[in-house]
Structures are given as C-alpha cells and as structure tokens.
C-alpha cells in the first residue's frame, strides 16, 4: 500500500477521528479551517493561523544534547480565541466550534474569556466572529461576534436553537478549493460585497 | 515570609532567571513585553498577545477523570512570530529577541520562516517589526521588519553590529508603567506622530 503524502502543514484527515484528547475535539472543522488558511496564505490572500494550544510545561528531560523531551505538562485554558490574522488590511479574530447536537448549540462551549476577548477586538476596530458547525446537518455558519454574544446574554437558555443559526447565521459554502471558503462570507458581511 | 501576589497574567520576575529550557531564553524581554501588553489590554489601548509555544504532544495520561497529563511532548519550531494583535485598528505582528552579545546581533537568532511571515504581513497591509534587546547595553530597539530583513539579506556577515542598531533602530524608552512602552515607538514610526 502506498502512503499518501500530504502537503506541508496539512494532516491526513484520518488523524482527526483517531484523536482522543481534549484538544482533539472538533478536529474536522479545525482541519477544514487549517486547509483554508493554508490556501489563503499560499495565494497571498490572508495570513490567518490557529494559535498553538497553550500548555503548561512542568518537567523537561534532556535524553540527548539539544534534545528536550517534555515529560510532564498540562493543557491550559486559552485566554483568547483560536484563530487570528490579517485580511484585506484588517485584523481578523474568531473562534470555531462544532457540535454533534442536532437541535441546538450548547452555550457552555464558548468561554467567557473568549467573549470578552472578541468584544475588546471589536472595540479596537477589528473584525470578530464565530464559526459554528452542526455536524449532523453538515452546516457551517459564520456569526458576527457581537450578534452571538448578545444572544447568549439574553436568551435565558443553556443552548441556542439550530433554527436561530439558520435565521441569523451566514452559511459558509463548501467548494473544491478551499473547501471551507469562509472569507467569502467575511467579504459579504464585513466588506458589503455581493 | 509573605508571598507576593502578582496581578493575573503576570509572573514573578524571579521565574525568568530560573528557567532553563530552550523556551526560557530571552525571558526578561518577554516579561517586559507581557507586562506592557497586559497594561495595553487593561486600558483598552491594544490587544496583543504572545502566542503559546507550539508543542507536539505524543502521549497523554488520564490519572483521573477529566484530568489530562501530558507525559511525552516536544517543542516544535514556530511557523510565525511570537507576538500579534491589534492596535489603532491595524494588525500588528512582531518578533522579539534579546542577546547578551556586546558588539553585534547574531542573525541566526531570526528564522527564515519568521522573515517570510513578516514580509507576507507587510504585503497584506499589516505593521511588522522586530524588538531587539542588547542586555549588556540595557538598550531595546524597535526595527521595521523590512529594514532589518533587507540588512540581513545584504550585510554578508553572520551578525549585525550594535552600532547599526544605534543608527537605524528606534530606541524603546523605559518608563514606570508600562516599563517597556513600545507602542510609543509604533506611534512615532507607523503613525508619524512626534
């Protein structure tokens, strides 16, 4: 059997489902976004990266010269969103979440610090949003940060119905390349293009 | 002895010198920058963060429910610079390095991927620069990304003389709060204020 070689920065889609750690949740959406960001970078359209997962290193061994092996470490709660970068001269910042839930999106998936962060970004003139995927419906929505945060703060429920996203979210279409062309939606909403 | 409690997000200065891993190099400058960024965030001036160090997790144990302990991991080479964020509506991106060298700055301290990244950022309309500290001279300079990159590519030496920074760098003054007020220099250079 011949091994498939993926371009640099891309992981085999298989690795998503075999992931079992906390950090592995929501890997399919992450894979699509990383692929889109790689395409945008390679074509000088945007420079947007997923930030590394913050890890608290407790112990490091040096089995060989210049080779550090971390032998004890813990995941830390990120203080910001996962993705940021630049597009059309503007600062872009977003959080991406996917849920298997059919009828609603659990609000607890979004941290208070992430909402605070996005509100700060918007106050300073940046573009902030969420990308929410309902895997069951195979639907991915882009929702402006302030719109979703306002709804979270007023809905008086622990989840937001799927139908709310159908009405208020901007659907992200899938294409051949990049598969998840989310910057098209950014163009439409934040740069008022049709 | 009474323990000193530092504000959230700040670490005790002591932790800098006690750090011995690769990731611990240049911790004093990092501490000053984190302190400045915390001040800028708390005062709604700018939102700029240091990205977490990318770590490749190989093995995770679960000694208790919901408690993940990383038992094998390795430092990865970052594909971007260490710092990015938003200031005055603009995307900001920079790399910070400090050297104990008295007479020159070793070019090898800056990775090719970091130069490529900053050039991309500038092409897309962002502000990109380096912050270089000479610890011996107690001098910290801000240098525009393209200026330093051009010099690196043409100097035909493995290091850039300290005097070059004195002539072409913008000195970052130290104050009471924040100690390293580097956005003052960004104002002067990129927003043409005096």
């Amino acid at each position: 059997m011949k091994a498939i070689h993926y371009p640099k920065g891309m992981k085999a889609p298989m690795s998503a489902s075999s992931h079992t750690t906390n950090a592995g949740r929501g890997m399919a959406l992450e894979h699509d976004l990383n692929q889109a960001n790689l395409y945008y970078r390679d074509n000088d359209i945007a420079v947007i990266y997923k930030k590394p997962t913050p890890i608290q290193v407790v112990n490091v061994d040096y089995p060989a010269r210049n080779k550090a092996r971390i032998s004890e470490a813990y995941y830390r709660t990120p203080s910001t969103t996962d993705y940021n970068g630049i597009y059309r001269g503007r600062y872009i910042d977003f959080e991406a979440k996917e849920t298997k839930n059919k009828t609603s999106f659990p609000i607890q998936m979004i941290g208070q610090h992430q909402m605070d962060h996005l509100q700060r970004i918007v106050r300073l003139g940046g573009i902030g949003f969420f990308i929410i995927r309902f895997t069951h419906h195979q639907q991915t929505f882009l929702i402006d940060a302030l719109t979703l945060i306002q709804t979270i703060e007023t809905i008086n429920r622990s989840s937001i119905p799927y139908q709310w996203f159908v009405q208020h979210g901007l659907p992200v279409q899938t294409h051949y390349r990049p598969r998840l062309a989310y910057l098209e939606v950014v163009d439409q909403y934040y740069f008022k293009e049709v």
Side-chain angles (χ1 to χ4, degrees), chain A residues 43-192:
Chain A
N43 292 279
D44 249 333
I45 293 166
V47 175
I48 297 166
Y49 279 94
K50 181 176 189 297
K51 292 187 187 179
T53 307
I55 289 173
Q56 179 72 48
V57 175
V58 174
N59 202 34
V60 184
D61 299 334
Y62 292 89
R65 227 176 119 82
N66 290 327
K67 181 140 173 69
R69 180 182 174 277
I70 298 163
S71 56
E72 187 181 356
Y74 300 91
Y75 289 108
R76 280 164 47 196
T77 308
S79 30
T80 67
T81 48
D82 272 354
Y83 297 86
N84 78 350
I86 182 170
Y87 175 54
R88 295 178 68 167
R90 299 284 299 276
Y91 175 87
I92 301 275
D93 199 300
F94 65 96
E95 182 65 26
K97 294 287 180 201
E98 67 185 312
T99 179
K100 288 175 182 165
N101 212 309
K102 293 176 194 175
T103 54
S104 63
F105 174 80
I107 289 174
Q108 60 166 25
M109 288 186 78
I110 295 173
Q112 184 61 48
H113 55 281
Q114 293 172 328
M115 294 194 275
D116 294 344
H117 173 74
L118 283 166
Q119 283 177 314
R120 256 192 216 113
I121 293 303
V122 174
R123 273 205 300 277
L124 290 177
I127 291 174
F129 52 86
F130 292 91
I131 292 181
I132 308 285
R133 175 177 287 179
F134 287 86
T135 47
H136 175 80
H137 299 281
Q138 297 185 34
Q139 268 283 19
T140 306
F141 300 99
L142 187 150
I143 308 102
D144 176 61
L146 298 191
T147 304
L148 189 62
I149 291 168
Q150 201 189 14
T151 300
I152 287 172
E153 288 172 346
T154 54
I155 198 169
N156 209 16
R157 287 181 47 155
S158 63
S159 65
I160 301 172
Y162 172 68
Q163 281 306 322
W164 183 90
F165 289 90
V166 172
Q167 280 169 41
H168 299 93
L170 303 156
V172 183
Q173 309 296 338
T174 51
H175 297 288
Y176 172 60
R177 214 176 160 217
R179 220 176 91 76
L180 197 71
Y182 69 97
L183 289 182
E184 280 184 356
V185 185
V186 171
D187 284 338
Q188 290 159 26
Y189 189 80
Y190 296 99
F191 295 92
K192 304 292 173 202

